Amino acid sequence: MQSRLEQLKSILQETYDLEATVYLLNWDKATKMPSGGSDARARQIALLSRLEHEKFTSDEVGRLLEDLTPYADNLGYDHDDAGLIRATKILYDQRRRVPSDFVEEMQAHFAKSFSVWATARPKNDFATVQPYLERNLDLSRQYAEYFAPYDHIADGLLRQRNYGLTTEQVRALFAELRSELVKLLTKITEAEPVDDSFLYGDFPKAKQYDFVKKAITAFGYDWERGRMDDAHHPFATRFSIGDVRITTRASETHLGNGLFATMHEAGHAMYEQGINQAYEPSPLARGTSSGVHESQSRLWENRVGRGKAFWQHFYSELQATFPQLEAVPLDNFYKAINRVKPGLIRVDADEVTYNLHIMLRSDLSIELLDGSLAVKDLPDAWRARYESDLGIIPEDDKDGVMQDVHWYSFHIGGTFEGYSIGNILGAQYYDALLAQHPNIEDDYTQGDFSRLHTWLKDNIWTHGRKYTTRELTQRITGDDISVTPLVNYLNAKFGDIYNL
Amino acid sequence: MQSRLEQLKSILQETYDLEATVYLLNWDKATKMPSGGSDARARQIALLSRLEHEKFTSDEVGRLLEDLTPYADNLGYDHDDAGLIRATKILYDQRRRVPSDFVEEMQAHFAKSFSVWATARPKNDFATVQPYLERNLDLSRQYAEYFAPYDHIADGLLRQRNYGLTTEQVRALFAELRSELVKLLTKITEAEPVDDSFLYGDFPKAKQYDFVKKAITAFGYDWERGRMDDAHHPFATRFSIGDVRITTRASETHLGNGLFATMHEAGHAMYEQGINQAYEPSPLARGTSSGVHESQSRLWENRVGRGKAFWQHFYSELQATFPQLEAVPLDNFYKAINRVKPGLIRVDADEVTYNLHIMLRSDLSIELLDGSLAVKDLPDAWRARYESDLGIIPEDDKDGVMQDVHWYSFHIGGTFEGYSIGNILGAQYYDALLAQHPNIEDDYTQGDFSRLHTWLKDNIWTHGRKYTTRELTQRITGDDISVTPLVNYLNAKFGDIYNL
């Protein structure tokens, strides 16, 4: 049986390295590639994606998994090889449903569609992206069909990426969260507003990056196994546990969003850097789901980066970087970076409205998939939802329906939900951390994040994909997914800031 | 027959894109990758190289070529599809000799060996690289054996990359060139020396790059299909005709080498950018050999960049960039950048001694391959050859035997000769250009390189790999390879500079 395990590992090493190569092709496309490279790059990404998919979903892998499953059962649930066989089987059963040619076609479309979107967005030109989005919807529906039978067409897409929840369950969970958020938001809207005028002014990008690099270095982001580049859209990506990169962006006239976006991506990256090195190269050496990934990125961005303890240490450094803040007391600054204000841009949203942005995208994705919404009507539907959910109407499509890269470079359905599920899980995990280390935020006031880093590494990161999201959540919290910790945290934090 | 041609083209598209991906993995390794990524990157490069090699050398390609060869013969020699089938057949017959597993093993070794060299070189630590070099020699000898039968073990390696010349022919050609160069060098050594002291001082890298970017833009390097990055070792690479990148480096205390290295790489890059777009994606869409490639890079570096006409236009711009040159007359500057002085560093060498550097490397490579020199004795052999050929002895291995990346990241044999063959061919091509456009250098004094760019594009670049080096040389010059034009050019240029 050892030799069959070695055979499996040898195939998985190849698919791991092929997948990493696809990520490099994408990273380069987003950060360094000249525009002339775009057509060939689309072909390269599509080809490598197909080769990886063919190899991973081959009959041989299926046979090896069948042979090895009883062996894995005997090893005991927590044995690494058992975890490897189990995680591979889960992926195999999902991915095997999708033909390799379809993967190639879809990836080629995404690469092309991304380039079209990147050029059309600054021009506010929805007409140009519309046929690409329509094609994406066709492809996404076809993709969803591979997961039949289902109760709802979106089920397969949601389930495989997000905690195993069905469309109905996602909607119920989000409805519960939405009703609590709307209550909180109503109270905040009636309270005295927070002043954040001093966050607007002259904030050179290079200085913002200098500052935030110090912050994420203190968090424990390892630069010998990473780097940071400018990009259109902030993201984290990885080519091995030894090479996990982040990209970011910043406004030269506003302080805040650039810093928090960088901390967010560093959170993703530290997760991948923190995986047990022995799991590489194999499917175990990845974060377990987009939900858990977002729980980590949003935790560093919000619980740490938008928390008071962090700034008790770092605010003087920020004031030295931007002397115009010298007249602004820490408490005012803390309130300003947490100002709740319904806005148009998801990635710039405060913690209260953020999930409203996500949930409306989730709803629209599901409506597109089930046919109750047509692509041509999407800009209007977007405006209507922003008006009803956030009370504001986007003036253009650039900051409306063309805002996020997702619909233009991934399939429709299952790609947004992870953010809110991450916020929910992150609050649950943080409660578990506080139960063990009630005074951990005192560390942050000293610029010391090592206990936090170690706790997350030991409890989450190191396991990679050995446990599913649900299993991991059970291990950490003893509980299933629940919105209560997030709601309690938001009510407490913003109750304090707004004197509710 | 059309459907078989389409089948062949479809496979060749995949190998083209796989090869491009290997180049991206290598470019990233040399320019952006954090050190932690090194082990995984070696695996990724090895895997993709094997997959590309397997596909290109498959039985299926062999069968298709066999079926298509009579068809190609009927199309006429200059038909693009005939050229494609012919060029593919040449590559197939060469590459088919080498097993894919061997390619993977060799590429994995090179990737690792490169990283070891990059760390050991600054420490002047030959002992650390020695076992890697020994392993490379084993692999290179094994590789050479795939080209048996041969008169000399280096034959296969030299032939496939360099004009089809055997070891004996390379040695004869180089002996002829060496004897002329030594005569010229002796006269120069006895002449009054040129002053280049003003090239040493404070020359910030960023300013050098700003200047040289203007120069290569004027040459016609297309930035929408390229970019420039800092690297350990200057090189050009390409992921498609639409994405041809250069890397460079510069000393902050010396002006010249950084500029000329950049022009050199731009020469390589313009060749690839200038290939007929219709040839992509296929093996036709590449420069035809390392010799012709170097003929282009060395032409832009030396005939243009180290020529007087170029500086008649660009010197005032350089003086504005580096005001310390305002007191230096153009003529003195021109002589200084052409100062002939035996030195240790190949890439910094003047045009007269450059080929001496190359030829001694060629000799040492051949001796390593045929067993008359052992790796452990290489540092001593290097010093002995520098003393006998250039009259100077390297004080350390860093600027001695560890100077060039080649032995540490390619096989030994056939990788250096292209530079001198390029110098030889470049002089032949330039004579053909001058016969058609006797006053073309007047253009350069106006900063106008469009006629030169167009002539090179029409006569060389556009053809890609459609013609072999020998065919291309025949088409352009009506002649075979010959050292006479290079010798005449060097005698005239340096006779003028040194009043010989």
Side-chain angles (χ1 to χ4, degrees):
Chain A
M1 207 45 80
Q2 273 304 319
S3 86
R4 257 172 266 185
L5 184 58
E6 289 313 310
Q7 275 173 56
L8 180 68
K9 285 184 177 176
S10 151
I11 297 171
L12 295 177
Q13 168 169 327
E14 290 195 8
T15 56
Y16 184 85
D17 289 338
L18 283 169
E19 189 183 41
T21 304
V22 174
Y23 293 142
L24 177 67
L25 289 161
N26 273 304
W27 173 85
D28 181 72
K29 182 176 66 135
T31 57
K32 309 292 173 194
M33 190 185 77
S35 59
S38 148
D39 288 348
R41 183 55 51 88
R43 281 200 320 266
Q44 293 153 2
I45 290 169
L47 171 65
L48 273 286
S49 300
R50 173 169 63 76
L51 293 178
E52 188 276 333
H53 193 270
E54 268 173 9
K55 213 169 270 283
F56 194 92
T57 61
S58 66
D59 295 345
E60 192 185 357
V61 171
R63 275 193 303 272
L64 288 167
L65 285 171
E66 204 169 309
D67 291 352
L68 285 163
T69 298
Y71 167 79
D73 291 345
N74 285 333
L75 289 174
Y77 206 83
D78 292 331
H79 192 287
D80 284 347
D81 284 338
L84 172 67
I85 293 161
R86 210 163 54 225
T88 307
K89 179 109 175 57
I90 293 171
L91 288 166
Y92 181 83
D93 290 344
Q94 282 170 359
R95 301 188 64 196
R96 172 83 176 179
R97 292 166 174 261
V98 185
S100 299
D101 287 346
F102 178 79
V103 170
E104 182 171 28
E105 188 186 355
M106 191 170 68
Q107 289 296 332
H109 174 71
F110 291 160
K112 187 74 193 141
S113 168
F114 171 85
S115 301
V116 171
W117 167 79
T119 320
R121 189 182 166 227
K123 299 182 198 152
N124 193 36
D125 176 11
F126 183 76
T128 295
V129 298
Q130 186 181 323
Y132 289 88
L133 205 46
E134 282 164 347
R135 174 87 185 117
N136 187 3
L137 183 57
D138 286 346
L139 290 166
S140 299
R141 293 174 59 90
Q142 194 176 335
Y143 186 68
E145 288 299 340
Y146 293 126
F147 298 90
Y150 48 72
D151 290 328
H152 188 282
I153 189 172
D155 277 358
L157 303 178
L158 290 176
R159 227 179 210 147
Q160 66 165 298
R161 290 173 62 98
N162 302 294
Y163 209 85
L165 300 172
T166 63
T167 310
E168 199 183 319
Q169 289 169 322
V170 166
R171 282 173 159 164
L173 192 74
F174 283 5
E176 188 186 351
L177 180 59
R178 186 185 290 111
S179 106
E180 294 292 337
L181 292 177
V182 168
K183 272 189 258 174
L184 177 58
L185 185 57
T186 308
K187 281 192 253 176
I188 291 171
T189 314
E190 289 160 1
E192 190 176 343
V194 156
D195 174 29
D196 67 351
S197 56
F198 47 82
L199 297 180
Y200 297 82
D202 181 26
F203 297 99
K205 200 151 82 165
K207 285 189 172 186
Q208 292 190 49
Y209 289 172
D210 281 349
F211 172 81
V212 79
K213 278 182 177 178
K214 286 178 197 153
I216 66 176
T217 304
F219 291 174
Y221 178 69
D222 179 354
W223 294 97
E224 295 201 352
R225 297 187 293 140
R227 54 176 286 132
M228 178 170 123
D229 294 88
D230 249 325
H232 215 66
H233 192 84
F235 64 93
T237 188
R238 47 100 74 206
F239 315 129
S240 65
I241 294 176
D243 187 357
V244 189
R245 305 184 189 181
I246 59 175
T247 68
T248 194
R249 65 177 177 198
S251 160
E252 303 255 354
T253 57
H254 177 265
L255 183 68
N257 299 329
L259 305 183
F260 299 119
T262 311
M263 296 179 193
H264 179 99
E265 301 309 334
H268 283 302
M270 289 187 290
Y271 185 178
E272 297 282 333
Q273 288 183 337
I275 293 169
N276 186 344
Q277 182 67 53
Y279 293 171
E280 187 170 80
S282 90
L284 279 192
R286 296 296 310 277
T288 195
S289 71
S290 79
V292 177
H293 244 299
E294 292 301 327
S295 80
Q296 302 306 291
S297 54
R298 300 280 298 165
L299 187 155
W300 286 99
E301 175 191 355
N302 292 321
R303 295 303 282 248
V304 179
R306 283 193 175 90
K308 198 180 277 181
F310 169 84
W311 291 106
Q312 281 169 350
H313 180 78
F314 271 101
Y315 190 52
S316 57
E317 172 94 38
L318 188 76
Q319 287 176 311
T321 311
F322 299 112
Q324 63 261 55
L325 293 177
E326 268 162 26
V328 179
L330 170 61
D331 204 52
N332 299 39
F333 177 79
Y334 167 70
K335 286 182 176 172
I337 58 170
N338 284 294
R339 182 187 178 187
V340 175
K341 192 180 179 220
L344 294 173
I345 308 294
R346 169 183 66 89
V347 295
D348 299 346
D350 59 82
E351 288 178 81
V352 178
T353 59
Y354 185 90
N355 295 299
L356 298 173
H357 290 265
I358 293 301
M359 294 186 288
L360 75 83
R361 284 159 175 76
S362 173
D363 288 342
L364 293 174
S365 301
I366 291 170
E367 289 166 28
L368 286 168
L369 279 172
D370 69 21
S372 53
L373 176 63
V375 169
K376 72 173 168 47
D377 300 325
L378 184 60
D380 282 341
W382 183 281
R383 281 187 282 272
R385 280 300 297 263
Y386 264 82
E387 187 174 14
S388 68
D389 290 20
L390 287 143
I392 46 171
I393 309 177
E395 283 175 22
D396 54 31
D397 293 329
K398 176 178 168 294
D399 289 335
V401 71
M402 294 172 78
Q403 171 181 142
D404 295 288
V405 70
H406 301 60
W407 285 337
Y408 306 93
S409 69
F410 305 104
H411 53 71
I412 295 169
T415 63
F416 282 111
E417 291 77 6
Y419 297 105
S420 283
I421 290 174
N423 287 328
I424 295 167
L425 294 175
Q428 294 181 264
Y429 301 161
Y430 206 83
D431 276 1
L433 165 74
L434 288 175
Q436 288 172 41
H437 303 287
N439 302 319
I440 196 162
E441 299 201 349
D442 293 347
D443 295 8
Y444 313 167
T445 66
Q446 309 303 310
D448 178 4
F449 304 92
S450 56
R451 272 206 297 168
L452 172 61
H453 188 106
T454 302
W455 190 90
L456 294 170
K457 185 172 178 183
D458 291 348
N459 287 280
I460 300 171
W461 305 343
T462 189
H463 299 306
R465 239 187 215 138
K466 184 165 164 182
Y467 301 112
T468 65
T469 306
R470 201 180 284 266
E471 287 168 346
L472 199 68
T473 307
Q474 278 286 346
R475 285 173 62 95
I476 297 168
T477 70
D479 207 351
D480 204 347
I481 190 168
S482 156
V483 301
T484 312
L486 176 61
V487 170
N488 290 345
Y489 155 69
L490 292 174
N491 281 331
K493 175 171 179 176
F494 292 93
D496 177 50
I497 290 173
Y498 282 94
N499 295 311
L500 304 178
Chain B
M1 209 45 80
Q2 274 303 319
S3 86
R4 255 171 268 183
L5 184 58
E6 289 314 310
Q7 276 173 56
L8 180 67
K9 285 183 178 177
S10 151
I11 296 172
L12 295 177
Q13 168 169 326
E14 289 194 7
T15 57
Y16 184 84
D17 289 337
L18 284 169
E19 190 182 40
T21 304
V22 174
Y23 293 142
L24 177 67
L25 289 162
N26 273 303
W27 172 84
D28 181 72
K29 181 176 67 135
T31 57
K32 308 293 173 194
M33 189 184 78
S35 58
S38 146
D39 288 348
R41 183 54 51 89
R43 280 200 322 266
Q44 293 154 1
I45 290 169
L47 170 65
L48 272 287
S49 300
R50 172 167 65 75
L51 294 178
E52 188 276 332
H53 193 269
E54 267 173 9
K55 212 169 270 283
F56 194 92
T57 61
S58 66
D59 295 345
E60 191 184 359
V61 170
R63 275 192 304 271
L64 289 166
L65 285 171
E66 204 169 311
D67 292 352
L68 285 163
T69 297
Y71 167 78
D73 292 343
N74 284 332
L75 289 174
Y77 206 83
D78 292 331
H79 192 287
D80 284 347
D81 283 339
L84 172 67
I85 292 162
R86 209 164 55 226
T88 307
K89 178 108 176 60
I90 292 171
L91 287 167
Y92 181 81
D93 290 344
Q94 282 171 359
R95 302 188 63 196
R96 173 82 176 181
R97 292 165 174 261
V98 186
S100 299
D101 287 346
F102 178 79
V103 170
E104 183 170 28
E105 187 185 356
M106 192 170 67
Q107 290 296 334
H109 174 72
F110 291 160
K112 187 73 193 143
S113 166
F114 170 86
S115 301
V116 171
W117 167 79
T119 321
R121 189 182 167 227
K123 298 183 201 153
N124 194 35
D125 177 10
F126 183 76
T128 295
V129 298
Q130 185 181 324
Y132 289 88
L133 205 46
E134 282 165 348
R135 175 86 185 119
N136 186 2
L137 183 56
D138 286 345
L139 290 166
S140 298
R141 293 175 59 89
Q142 194 177 336
Y143 186 68
E145 289 299 341
Y146 293 126
F147 296 90
Y150 48 71
D151 291 327
H152 188 282
I153 189 171
D155 277 358
L157 303 178
L158 290 176
R159 223 177 213 149
Q160 66 164 296
R161 289 173 62 98
N162 300 293
Y163 209 87
L165 300 172
T166 63
T167 309
E168 199 182 318
Q169 288 168 323
V170 166
R171 281 175 161 163
L173 192 75
F174 282 5
E176 189 186 350
L177 180 60
R178 186 185 290 113
S179 105
E180 294 292 337
L181 291 177
V182 167
K183 271 189 259 175
L184 176 59
L185 184 58
T186 307
K187 281 192 254 176
I188 291 172
T189 314
E190 288 159 2
E192 190 176 342
V194 156
D195 174 28
D196 68 351
S197 55
F198 47 83
L199 298 180
Y200 296 82
D202 182 25
F203 297 99
K205 200 151 82 164
K207 285 189 172 187
Q208 293 190 48
Y209 289 172
D210 282 348
F211 172 82
V212 78
K213 278 182 175 177
K214 287 179 196 152
I216 65 175
T217 304
F219 291 173
Y221 178 70
D222 180 354
W223 294 97
E224 294 200 354
R225 297 187 291 141
R227 55 176 286 131
M228 178 171 123
D229 294 88
D230 249 326
H232 215 66
H233 192 84
F235 64 93
T237 188
R238 46 99 75 207
F239 316 129
S240 65
I241 295 176
D243 187 356
V244 190
R245 306 185 188 179
I246 59 176
T247 69
T248 194
R249 65 177 176 195
S251 160
E252 303 255 353
T253 58
H254 176 264
L255 182 68
N257 299 329
L259 306 184
F260 299 118
T262 311
M263 296 179 193
H264 179 101
E265 301 310 334
H268 283 301
M270 289 187 290
Y271 185 178
E272 297 282 332
Q273 288 182 337
I275 293 169
N276 186 344
Q277 181 68 53
Y279 293 170
E280 186 170 80
S282 89
L284 280 192
R286 295 297 309 278
T288 194
S289 71
S290 81
V292 177
H293 244 299
E294 292 301 326
S295 80
Q296 301 307 290
S297 55
R298 300 281 298 166
L299 189 156
W300 286 99
E301 174 191 355
N302 293 320
R303 295 302 283 248
V304 178
R306 283 193 175 92
K308 199 181 274 179
F310 169 84
W311 290 107
Q312 280 168 352
H313 179 78
F314 270 100
Y315 191 52
S316 57
E317 172 95 35
L318 188 75
Q319 287 176 312
T321 311
F322 299 112
Q324 63 260 56
L325 293 177
E326 268 162 27
V328 180
L330 170 60
D331 204 54
N332 298 40
F333 177 78
Y334 167 68
K335 286 182 176 171
I337 59 170
N338 283 294
R339 181 186 179 188
V340 177
K341 190 177 180 221
L344 294 174
I345 308 294
R346 169 182 67 86
V347 296
D348 299 346
D350 59 82
E351 288 179 81
V352 177
T353 58
Y354 185 89
N355 295 297
L356 298 173
H357 289 266
I358 293 302
M359 293 187 288
L360 75 83
R361 283 159 175 76
S362 172
D363 289 341
L364 293 174
S365 300
I366 292 170
E367 289 166 28
L368 286 168
L369 278 172
D370 70 20
S372 53
L373 176 64
V375 169
K376 71 174 169 46
D377 300 325
L378 184 60
D380 283 341
W382 183 280
R383 280 187 283 271
R385 281 299 298 264
Y386 264 82
E387 187 173 15
S388 69
D389 291 19
L390 287 142
I392 46 170
I393 308 177
E395 283 175 21
D396 54 31
D397 294 329
K398 175 177 167 296
D399 289 335
V401 71
M402 294 172 77
Q403 171 181 143
D404 296 289
V405 69
H406 301 61
W407 285 337
Y408 306 94
S409 69
F410 305 104
H411 53 70
I412 295 168
T415 62
F416 282 112
E417 290 77 6
Y419 296 106
S420 284
I421 289 174
N423 287 328
I424 294 167
L425 294 175
Q428 294 181 262
Y429 302 160
Y430 206 83
D431 275 1
L433 165 74
L434 287 175
Q436 289 173 42
H437 303 288
N439 303 319
I440 197 161
E441 298 201 350
D442 292 348
D443 295 10
Y444 311 167
T445 66
Q446 308 303 310
D448 178 3
F449 303 93
S450 56
R451 272 206 297 168
L452 173 61
H453 188 105
T454 303
W455 189 89
L456 294 170
K457 185 172 178 183
D458 291 348
N459 286 281
I460 300 171
W461 305 344
T462 190
H463 299 306
R465 238 188 214 137
K466 184 167 165 181
Y467 301 112
T468 65
T469 306
R470 199 179 285 265
E471 287 168 346
L472 198 69
T473 305
Q474 277 286 347
R475 286 172 62 95
I476 297 168
T477 69
D479 207 351
D480 204 348
I481 191 167
S482 156
V483 301
T484 311
L486 176 61
V487 169
N488 290 345
Y489 155 69
L490 292 175
N491 281 329
K493 176 171 180 175
F494 291 93
D496 178 51
I497 290 173
Y498 281 94
N499 295 310
L500 302 180

